[in-house]
Amino acid sequence: RFYRESYHSVKNGKLGMSFLIAMGTTAAYLYSIAAVAYNAISRCCGCSRPVLMQSFESSSLLITFVLLGKYLEALAKNRTSKAVSALADLAPDSATLVGTFDETSKSSSSEPERIIPLSLLQKNDILLVRPGEKVPTDGVVKSGSTTIDESMLTGESMPVVKIEGDKLIGGTINLQGSVNMVVEELGEDTALAQVIQLIETAQSSKANIQEVADSIAAVFTPFVIAAALTTYCVWAILLNCGPLDEIKDTWPYRRQGFNDWTLPLLFAISVLVIACPCALGLATPTAVMVGTGLGARLGILIRGGEPLESSKDLTCVVFDKTGTLTRGEMAVQDILLLSDRLAVEMHDEKSRCGSEMSDIDTVRDARRVATANMFYYAACAEQGSEHPIATAILSKARDYGIGNGLDRPLDEVDGFEADAGKGVKCTVNNTAVHLGNRRCLAANDVNISPGTFDAMEYLENKGQTAVVISINGTSEAVVGLIDHAKEEAALTVNVLQHVLGIQVFMLTGDNVRTANAVARDVGITATNVVADVLPSEKILFVKKLRQEGERVAMVGDGVNDSPALAEADVGIAIGSGTQIAHEAAGIVLVNSKLTDLLVAIDLSRTIYSRIRLNFYWALGYNSLAIPVAAGLFYPLTHTALPPYIAAFAMALSSISVLVSSLSLNSYEAPTFGEKKYGRDARKGQFGLDSLVYKASSGKQFNISIQCDAMQNNKPCLCQPETCECAPSGEHRVASQVDSSNFPGCHGQWGQQCKCDPCRCAGCSSCNSKS
């Protein structure tokens, strides 16, 4: 193996580590053969010359330690990617053919339904896709409507409504209705195949940190060879040309069986053996092996040396939004009541409260009762559904004691209908219930309560999904749902920016309003938010940053992030994300904690620093040992360093590198000290104000996420368009609903109170003192 690699290195004019290993082992082996022959001849001739000790073990030790390093390296890098096969598994094996479409005449012909293999599909075939089935290939909806789960490709949790004429992506899942689709793309032209190709292209362009050792060896090898030749020539000249004639007779080398030509040869061979860079070969794989094992114990999977090399000099971190910075699940954020009609049970019209409610306790009670009644009807309508909106509403209803097994169990519904892209409708205890969007209101002739559209616009401007709940044909409330940012997202983003000096970007396929809302909450500036992007556009953005000279890390969790994860200098996947994202990434945060990203970066820098220390030690050790092996001290000690001692010294160098790498086990991960949230003067969002970060080196950083005015407990004085403080109520419009407003008051969504008469406590619009 080493001879073959040495041959190619000589042929290419680049002497790598394999060449030096081959020379060292060959020299030791040939010397050992010569020693055996010398001893045999001496014994046969009856000579009394000292017996030379053979050094076959030197060659075996050299090869053993080098192969040990290669083995450890192979273990650390044994991460054969399965991303391509995992992506291919997204597509189904068969499809249901029901006809063909003539593109010229724009007509279609039907045929008996039959299931055929995917490989037999042709363009313009008409396929039937039932609920729960995967879309076989790329195409367009010909008839029917449904909702499609595209999260495996887009990463977004909200299903997408598909009606006639909309595009379908192969591998996505049909959730509700049956649709007929016309095949448009097949094989390598599909979106799924293009994602696979992007991953393969990006992964093929990776560098290897082990090349550092080879580059050092490329310089070190000629130096060692020159040192060995110089040693032999210098000693041969000194011993044979007279300079040492007066003192060499007092040296014991002749009695040991050497002469004026073989002693220089012994010194030269010892130089080659002791300088063999076994420790240099172990420097990288041992540190990588120990470091990746340590990372695994900390919940961080590092795939060999490549991510380490890339992570140490990061200048940009690009985050996906859904499931990475956010929880990846919808939750009810704001509830805007449009009237007080639900403040009492719907069947008890005579006991309605109305204008008698005037004090603050009654207002709060009215809001609580109206909200609970509204969620009761909404939960009854959504029970049994797995739609993200239904899940969020049912979860919020449980907070009010509403749900099966709770204080207020759900009732059965009659006449349930789900209209894709609009909403649902049903009857609960003879009460008509509608949940949906603007199209639901129009399609069902719902009576629009004053402020309905204003409330929807208010929530949408805050990045929320607005759902209108109508009871008995009249809109009664607008519920805002949002995918909340993770608790540790702000911690991670602010440490990256303020301590590590790394730029932070958000890259998402979601809409701009929602993206900016999440960015504000976690501390990412609006100029670093890129929204409404496709998977192919994500990889283009990462490429653009790299072309600008940035060292980029991409953090994501979905299939749509996989190409960008592979294209980035280092891809970092969230543990709760898809398996495909895991395979495309160089680092996986198993515990799905964003703060582990900080540990991963710090650990990679620590490991790489240890690799450099190992390099310096290996080179320094060998460089200091060469003069000893070359006989520099022989005139004083009268002792030559035999090859087996040189091999032992070489082994000692390797052991010292192993010990250095094992000392990584004492690594202590960075920690967070005191964290402060909110302040008395803040109005609105409860955000991160300051934190203490302690690095693994022990250095402590106090991070303030406020302007000077906010630190002094005063209102933020930054310009709204440039403010980078923690989410500040001074620059936002009533981010929380005022519980002193009477149900249905327009003051809930930032407008003037329109109650007549006003029943809001302390209302500023009409100077009410109630």
Side-chain angles (χ1 to χ4, degrees):
R1 169 182 175 175
F2 296 115
Y3 285 108
R4 184 170 57 252
E5 293 177 359
S6 299
Y7 168 76
H8 291 297
S9 67
V10 172
K11 187 177 180 180
N12 296 328
K14 296 181 179 180
L15 301 181
M17 193 168 62
S18 294
F19 181 79
L20 199 54
I21 293 170
M23 283 202 63
T25 54
T26 301
Y29 187 75
L30 292 178
Y31 170 78
S32 298
I33 292 177
V36 170
Y38 175 83
N39 293 337
I41 293 173
S42 297
R43 178 170 295 183
C44 290
C45 296
C47 299
S48 59
R49 289 177 295 184
V51 176
L52 295 181
M53 183 178 291
Q54 76 277 1
S55 299
F56 290 107
E57 73 282 357
S58 298
S59 296
S60 61
L61 281 173
L62 289 172
I63 294 174
T64 298
F65 279 101
V66 172
L67 291 181
L68 174 62
K70 296 291 185 180
Y71 174 71
L72 293 175
E73 181 183 12
L75 288 179
K77 297 179 64 179
N78 186 20
R79 298 289 188 270
T80 303
S81 177
K82 298 179 182 178
V84 173
S85 59
L87 276 172
D89 289 342
L90 286 178
D93 297 327
S94 59
T96 303
L97 180 68
V98 295
T100 57
F101 178 74
D102 188 340
E103 200 168 13
T104 304
S105 62
K106 303 299 180 181
S107 61
S108 59
S109 60
S110 60
E111 57 182 78
E113 180 181 317
R114 59 193 175 101
I115 298 177
I116 62 173
L118 212 61
S119 58
L120 297 182
L121 288 180
Q122 297 182 4
K123 287 188 177 182
N124 295 324
D125 281 347
I126 299 177
L127 307 178
L128 172 64
V129 185
R130 296 184 175 91
E133 293 182 346
K134 291 182 178 180
V135 177
T137 187
D138 292 3
V140 62
V141 177
K142 183 180 183 297
S143 62
S145 62
T146 186
T147 55
I148 299 290
D149 179 4
E150 296 182 343
S151 60
M152 66 283 296
L153 280 175
T154 66
E156 303 304 329
S157 56
M158 287 293 293
V160 180
V161 176
K162 300 292 183 179
I163 59 176
E164 184 175 341
D166 287 345
K167 298 284 186 180
L168 296 176
I169 301 174
T172 56
I173 301 175
N174 183 21
L175 296 179
Q176 292 185 348
S178 295
V179 293
N180 286 343
M181 63 171 290
V182 178
V183 175
E184 288 190 334
E185 303 292 348
L186 293 167
E188 296 180 354
D189 296 327
T190 63
L192 195 60
Q194 291 173 4
V195 171
I196 293 174
Q197 184 180 7
L198 289 172
I199 294 177
E200 289 176 334
T201 302
Q203 285 184 335
S204 65
S205 62
K206 295 291 186 180
N208 189 349
I209 194 173
Q210 184 59 34
E211 293 177 359
V212 177
D214 286 335
S215 64
I216 295 175
V219 178
F220 195 59
T221 300
F223 168 75
V224 172
I225 296 173
L229 292 175
T230 302
T231 297
Y232 181 83
C233 293
V234 169
W235 274 108
I237 292 172
L238 291 175
L239 292 176
N240 292 282
C241 295
L244 299 178
D245 288 346
E246 296 181 359
I247 60 174
K248 71 179 182 179
D249 292 335
T250 62
W251 295 350
Y253 70 93
R254 293 184 186 277
R255 295 189 297 274
Q256 295 170 348
F258 294 100
N259 57 35
D260 293 344
W261 297 102
T262 56
L263 181 63
L265 179 62
L266 176 67
F267 289 144
I269 293 175
S270 294
V271 168
L272 279 177
V273 172
I274 204 169
C276 189
C278 298
L280 194 62
L282 289 172
T284 295
T286 55
V288 169
M289 190 67 182
V290 175
T292 51
L294 175 62
R297 291 196 297 273
L298 295 172
I300 301 166
L301 297 182
I302 303 174
R303 299 179 182 272
E306 295 165 0
L308 295 176
E309 183 181 19
S310 301
S311 298
K312 68 183 182 69
D313 295 320
L314 289 177
T315 60
C316 289
V317 173
V318 181
F319 286 98
D320 173 51
K321 180 185 72 68
T322 304
T324 303
L325 288 173
T326 66
R327 300 171 186 172
E329 56 187 26
M330 301 296 289
V332 174
Q333 173 75 1
D334 284 339
I335 304 165
L336 303 182
L337 297 173
L338 300 172
S339 75
D340 64 337
R341 288 184 291 269
L342 290 178
V344 293
E345 293 291 347
M346 296 301 297
H347 65 275
D348 192 4
E349 292 292 329
K350 294 182 179 180
S351 62
R352 293 189 61 208
C353 301
S355 60
E356 289 81 10
M357 299 180 180
S358 58
D359 61 282
I360 183 63
D361 293 330
T362 306
V363 169
R364 288 176 177 169
D365 187 59
R367 180 174 303 284
R368 180 184 59 80
V369 173
T371 304
N373 287 336
M374 178 269 296
F375 273 114
Y376 164 74
Y377 290 113
C380 287
E382 295 285 14
Q383 60 181 312
S385 174
E386 295 182 358
H387 193 283
I389 290 179
T391 303
I393 288 176
L394 290 168
S395 175
K396 190 65 176 179
R398 285 192 289 271
D399 293 342
Y400 290 86
I402 300 170
N404 294 326
L406 300 178
D407 296 338
R408 193 174 181 182
L410 302 178
D411 289 327
E412 295 294 329
V413 301
D414 297 319
F416 179 85
E417 293 182 23
D419 195 349
K422 297 178 183 178
V424 300
K425 61 181 179 179
C426 64
T427 302
V428 180
N429 293 333
N430 298 320
T431 299
V433 181
H434 294 82
L435 280 81
N437 53 23
R438 290 177 175 82
R439 284 181 286 183
C440 175
L441 299 176
N444 294 283
D445 296 324
V446 172
N447 180 33
I448 308 301
S449 297
T452 299
F453 293 126
D454 291 336
M456 294 181 71
E457 183 178 354
Y458 166 78
L459 294 177
E460 289 169 349
N461 286 333
K462 292 175 60 179
Q464 300 181 29
T465 299
V467 176
V468 180
I469 299 175
S470 305
I471 308 297
N472 282 336
T474 302
S475 58
E476 296 291 350
V478 181
V479 176
L481 298 97
I482 195 168
D483 188 3
H484 286 290
K486 293 180 179 177
E487 183 180 355
E488 70 271 15
L491 296 175
T492 304
V493 168
N494 283 286
V495 170
L496 287 172
Q497 293 179 145
H498 297 101
V499 176
L500 303 181
I502 296 175
Q503 293 188 74
V504 178
F505 293 84
M506 180 198 290
L507 199 59
T508 178
D510 213 336
N511 64 78
V512 175
R513 290 180 298 184
T514 301
N516 283 332
V518 173
R520 284 196 304 269
D521 288 342
V522 301
I524 300 176
T525 57
T527 54
N528 285 6
V529 176
V530 182
D532 291 318
V533 292
L534 299 174
S536 58
E537 293 171 333
K538 288 187 176 183
I539 195 173
L540 291 176
F541 181 77
V542 172
K543 281 183 178 180
K544 176 177 176 292
L545 289 177
R546 295 185 69 191
Q547 290 170 356
E548 293 173 354
E550 304 288 354
R551 301 279 297 195
V552 183
M554 175 70 195
V555 186
D557 70 323
V559 175
N560 64 311
D561 303 318
S562 299
L565 288 171
E567 173 62 30
D569 293 290
V570 56
I572 302 174
I574 302 299
S576 60
T578 64
Q579 183 63 30
I580 296 168
H582 293 178
E583 295 297 337
I587 297 176
V588 179
L589 307 181
V590 177
N591 297 326
S592 302
K593 292 168 54 181
L594 276 183
T595 49
D596 283 347
L597 170 61
L598 305 175
V599 179
I601 294 175
D602 185 82
L603 179 60
S604 65
R605 292 180 177 181
T606 301
I607 295 173
Y608 198 83
S609 296
R610 187 54 51 90
I611 291 173
R612 287 185 297 181
L613 176 63
N614 289 346
F615 283 161
Y616 296 149
W617 169 255
L619 291 174
Y621 185 96
N622 288 349
S623 299
L624 292 175
I626 286 175
V628 177
L632 180 64
F633 301 106
Y634 185 80
L636 299 177
T637 63
H638 298 171
T639 301
L641 189 69
Y644 76 92
I645 296 295
F648 176 77
M650 177 275 302
L652 188 63
S653 172
S654 299
I655 292 173
S656 65
V657 168
L658 285 171
V659 172
S660 172
S661 297
L662 289 172
S663 66
L664 283 169
N665 286 310
S666 62
Y667 170 84
E668 294 184 3
T671 57
F672 289 97
E674 183 182 9
K675 299 183 285 288
K676 293 183 179 180
Y677 293 88
R679 61 185 178 86
D680 294 337
R682 172 168 297 159
K683 304 173 184 176
Q685 183 76 22
F686 191 62
L688 179 68
D689 282 348
S690 65
L691 63 99
V692 176
Y693 175 77
K694 185 178 181 181
S696 61
S697 62
K699 187 176 181 180
Q700 184 169 294
F701 298 88
N702 297 313
I703 305 173
S704 177
I705 316 170
Q706 305 173 327
C707 62
D708 292 338
M710 292 178 70
Q711 292 182 50
N712 294 323
N713 220 25
K714 297 179 180 179
C716 177
L717 300 179
C718 301
Q719 293 296 322
E721 61 272 13
T722 60
C723 178
E724 297 183 4
C725 301
S728 174
E730 287 87 355
H731 295 158
R732 305 177 70 173
V733 180
S735 60
Q736 298 293 330
V737 174
D738 186 353
S739 62
S740 66
N741 288 330
F742 198 83
C745 177
H746 287 214
Q748 292 184 84
W749 47 90
Q751 298 187 4
Q752 293 293 313
C753 175
K754 297 183 181 180
C755 298
D756 187 19
C758 180
R759 291 162 290 184
C760 301
C763 181
S764 59
S765 299
C766 58
N767 297 319
S768 171
K769 297 181 181 180
S770 56

